[in-house]
């Protein structure tokens, strides 16, 4: 008599309902029932860490847990790394293993990546000792720990750089929306960072320059034909010496000739 139990696992953001025997290990449910073979089986005793996944954000060895014990849990496996918000094509940890030659034979890599992910979630800027402690439950049979440590250090630095870049974008957005103190251009321009009306600009067309022309009046900034037509008109005006708007702008800025 088969005594199966229906359980639900959310793996890499997708909910799965499967039937498993009570003795079914989580690693077998992931690999064989859900066909996600990125999680490896190394020793079946919990010593090697090749089967490490994140369960509700915590690293666990999936060969030491029954699938039924994970009913209702959120599971992250190596297949879900590239879909994480911090990933760009691939996750910085995966990029680090590639750049720093941390892959070695590759068998321990999925477990190392999961251990590294858990570490960086908790300690974004770990020192070498902290990294070595975090991966101490994962065995590398190639004895390539040095490269693995460098790979995680690479990922920590890359994540920090991306966070800094995101912060810069936010600052720039702030400048366009109201003259953020982070933007010298925004502070210097009239009306707190927006192009002044006498320059023909507004919040939607402000390009960030103090003397921003504001773009063609009434034109859709994404309408290429309208922009080309407006530019042609400006060029004709300049050539004929009749660009009154430019003269007016120069006067408004206090330019001297």
């Amino acid at each position: 008599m088969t005594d199966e139990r229906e359980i639900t696992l959310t793996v890499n953001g997708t909910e799965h309902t499967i039937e498993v025997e009570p003795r079914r290990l989580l690693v077998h449910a992931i690999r064989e029932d859900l066909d996600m073979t990125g999680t490896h089986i190394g020793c079946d005793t919990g010593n090697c860490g090749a089967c490490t996944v994140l369960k509700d954000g915590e690293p666990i060895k999936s060969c030491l847990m029954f699938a039924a014990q994970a009913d209702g849990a959120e599971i992250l496996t190596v297949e879900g790394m590239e879909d994480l918000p911090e990933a760009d094509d691939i996750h910085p940890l995966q990029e680090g293993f590639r750049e720093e030659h941390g892959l070695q034979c590759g068998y321990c890599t999925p477990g190392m990546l999961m251990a590294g992910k858990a570490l960086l979630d908790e300690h974004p800027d770990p020192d070498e000792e902290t990294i070595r402690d975090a991966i101490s439950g994962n065995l590398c049979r190639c004895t390539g720990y040095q490269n693995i440590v460098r790979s995680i250090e690479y990922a920590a630095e890359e994540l920090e750089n991306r966070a800094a870049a995101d912060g810069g974008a936010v600052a720039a957005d702030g400048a366009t929306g109201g003259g953020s103190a982070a933007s010298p251009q925004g502070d210097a321009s009239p009306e707190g960072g927006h192009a002044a009306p006498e320059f023909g600009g507004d919040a939607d067309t402000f390009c960030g320059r103090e003397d921003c022309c504001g773009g063609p009046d009434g034109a859709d900034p994404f309408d290429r034909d309208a922009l080309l037509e407006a530019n042609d008109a400006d060029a004709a005006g300049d050539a004929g010496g009749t660009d009154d708007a430019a003269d007016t702008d120069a006067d408004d800025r206090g330019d001297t000739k």
Side-chain angles (χ1 to χ4, degrees), residues 190 195-201 210-215 249 252-253:
E198 57 266 34
F199 298 150
E210 182 181 354
D211 59 348
C212 173
C213 69
D249 288 349
D252 288 338
R253 293 194 298 270

Side-chain angles (χ1 to χ4, degrees), residues 6 8 15 19 25 42 44 52 99 106 130 152 171 177 182 185 190 193 195 199 202 228 237 241 251 253:
E6 184 177 279
T8 300
E15 186 175 288
E19 292 189 352
L25 295 175
D44 267 335
T52 302
E99 296 298 323
T130 303
I152 296 174
Q185 292 173 327
F199 298 150
D202 56 38
L228 290 174
D251 291 339
R253 293 194 298 270

Side-chain angles (χ1 to χ4, degrees), residues 72-227:
E74 297 265 356
I75 304 292
L76 177 68
T77 72
V78 68
E79 288 93 342
M81 292 285 286
E82 65 182 15
D83 296 324
L84 294 175
E86 60 267 34
D88 181 14
D89 187 22
I90 59 176
H91 192 277
L93 270 167
Q94 295 169 306
E95 187 178 304
F97 273 70
R98 180 186 64 188
E99 296 298 323
E100 299 296 335
H101 309 290
L103 290 169
Q104 312 299 312
C105 81
Y107 201 83
C108 72
T109 302
M112 290 289 187
L113 287 169
M114 293 296 101
K117 174 71 169 62
L119 167 65
L120 296 183
D121 285 347
E122 188 171 357
H123 300 288
D125 186 24
D127 57 24
E128 181 175 338
E129 182 180 356
T130 303
I131 293 174
R132 289 187 180 276
D133 181 63
I135 63 173
S136 60
N138 297 67
L139 300 181
C140 168
R141 291 178 290 191
C142 303
T143 67
Y145 294 103
Q146 186 59 43
N147 288 349
I148 292 172
V149 170
R150 288 175 182 162
S151 301
I152 296 174
E153 290 174 336
Y154 175 101
E157 184 176 347
E158 181 64 21
L159 286 167
E160 182 181 4
N161 291 339
R162 292 186 187 184
D166 288 345
V170 170
D173 289 341
T176 62
S180 166
S183 170
Q185 292 173 327
D187 291 339
S189 63
E191 297 193 354
H194 296 170
E198 57 266 34
F199 298 150
D202 56 38
D204 293 329
T205 56
F206 180 44
C207 68
R209 291 170 56 90
E210 182 181 354
D211 59 348
C212 173
C213 69
D217 292 341
D220 181 347
F222 298 103
D223 187 336
R224 180 175 180 274
D225 292 336
L227 292 171

